[in-house]
């Protein structure tokens, strides 16, 4: 059966198995994955560039795109092989179209277009943020619609009211830095390197969160917006005013900073659920890997009778399974890329 007509039959309610190859290169991970019908991961390969960017304390865009070029073919081949299929069995391709680093996005995007063109199969361009939101559907017991979602990553801190796989209302967003960006910058200030979130999370386990108290930026408590630049400045001021002794306090600084961020994130997502009368909330994106955040949200949610859905660690960070999962829904809705379509670097208004 032709690939196009398999997708058409699926959208008409036929029970067919549709295999989608997802490709993700928006930042510093080269990822490919084969997903069946948006929920069953047959393979998920992620090649991290952490070692390359570590000495610079952050992602160097030029190095990132060059590494994607070197890695993409191997990663896609590995994903196809691990799925136990032949390329000819792939029904469609889903690729991250944005937001992200333009040079990085272009590598995956151009590769995916050529791959789909070569096999004469449909291709769709996926919004990376929608990928993160849909990552909870790759886990057992996903939330029913509607639910609220906190997307916390290196580039975004947003709260959504999610009504379907591809429909959302944005309830709040950061007015300055993203939460993950704050983790990365504080780690850099403390001389701990990149990637900051994981390093600060680990170090915090050895520190006392009540020893050094940093401010909580709730803004107006009724809004679901965030601001993390103030806390970053507070940490910097602490370092500058304790130049001789701050190094001994590093675990306490990390724990104090983390607690401040976690307090605000927890407060806002629980209140967003209550405001919308939702009994399901999801936490997604790289910062959702933070064990203190996972624990605190689960604890607070339990008290308020809200079910919390947080993906396993592999699905919190950037991956291509979440891109394939969203791509499936786009394709069923008939959203396809044209060969002359381009990437977008900033979050498009898709609400
Ligand atoms: O979703 P992601 O992999 O990429 C973006 O779309 O940005 O998120 C990366 C962000 C980085 O800022 C990283 O420091 C943060 O997620 N992160 C963490 C943890 N693991 C990764 N932040 C806090 N605690 C962690 N354990
Ligand atoms: Zn991401």
């Amino acid at each position: 059966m032709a690939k196009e007509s398999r997708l058409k039959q699926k959208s008409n309610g036929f029970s067919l198995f549709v295999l989608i190859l997802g490709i993700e290169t928006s930042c510093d991970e080269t990822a490919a994955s084969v997903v069946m019908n948006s929920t069953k991961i047959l393979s998920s390969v992620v090649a991290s560039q952490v070692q390359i960017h570590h000495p610079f304390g952050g992602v160097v865009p030029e190095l990132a795109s060059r590494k994607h070029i070197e890695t993409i073919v191997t990663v896609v081949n590995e994903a196809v092989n691990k799925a136990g299929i032949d390329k000819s069995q792939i029904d469609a391709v889903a690729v991250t179209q944005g937001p992200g680093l333009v040079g990085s996005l272009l590598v995956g995007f151009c590769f995916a277009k050529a791959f789909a063109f070569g096999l004469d199969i449909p291709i769709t361009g996926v919004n990376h943020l929608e990928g993160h939101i849909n990552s909870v559907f790759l886990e057992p017991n996903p939330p029913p619609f509607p639910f609220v979602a906190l997307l916390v990553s290196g580039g975004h801190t947003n709260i959504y009211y999610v009504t379907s796989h591809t429909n959302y209302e944005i309830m709040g967003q950061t007015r300055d830095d993203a939460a993950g960006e704050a983790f990365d910058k504080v780690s850099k200030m403390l001389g701990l390197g990149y990637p900051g979130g994981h390093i600060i999370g680990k170090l915090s386990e050895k520190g006392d969160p009540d020893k050094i108290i940093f401010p909580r930026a709730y803004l107006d408590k009724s809004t679901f917006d965030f601001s993390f630049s103030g806390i970053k400045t507070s940490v910097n001021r602490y370092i500058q005013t304790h130049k001789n002794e701050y190094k001994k306090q590093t675990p306490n600084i990390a724990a104090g900073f983390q607690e401040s961020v976690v307090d605000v994130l927890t407060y806002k997502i629980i209140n967003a659920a209550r405001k919308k009368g939702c009994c399901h909330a999801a936490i997604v994106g790289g910062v959702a890997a933070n064990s203190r955040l996972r624990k605190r949200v689960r604890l607070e949610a339990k008290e308020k009778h809200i079910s919390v859905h947080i993906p396993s660690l592999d699905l919190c960070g950037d991956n291509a399974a979440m891109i394939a999962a969203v791509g499936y829904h786009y394709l069923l809705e008939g959203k396809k890329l044209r060969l002359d379509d381009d990437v977008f670097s900033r979050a498009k208004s898709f609400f």
Side-chain angles (χ1 to χ4, degrees), residues 128 132 153-155 180-181 183-184 195-198 285-287 289-290 316-318:
H128 181 83
H132 277 302
S153 68
E181 192 181 351
F183 270 94
D184 293 334
H198 181 71
V287 183
N290 185 275
C316 288
D318 288 347

Side-chain angles (χ1 to χ4, degrees), residues 128-158:
H128 181 83
L129 308 182
E130 291 189 30
H132 277 302
I133 295 170
N134 277 272
S135 60
V136 284
F137 293 97
L138 290 160
E139 297 288 1
N141 308 316
F145 296 111
F147 62 92
V148 289
L150 169 67
L151 163 56
V152 250
S153 68
H156 298 86
T157 306
N158 299 346

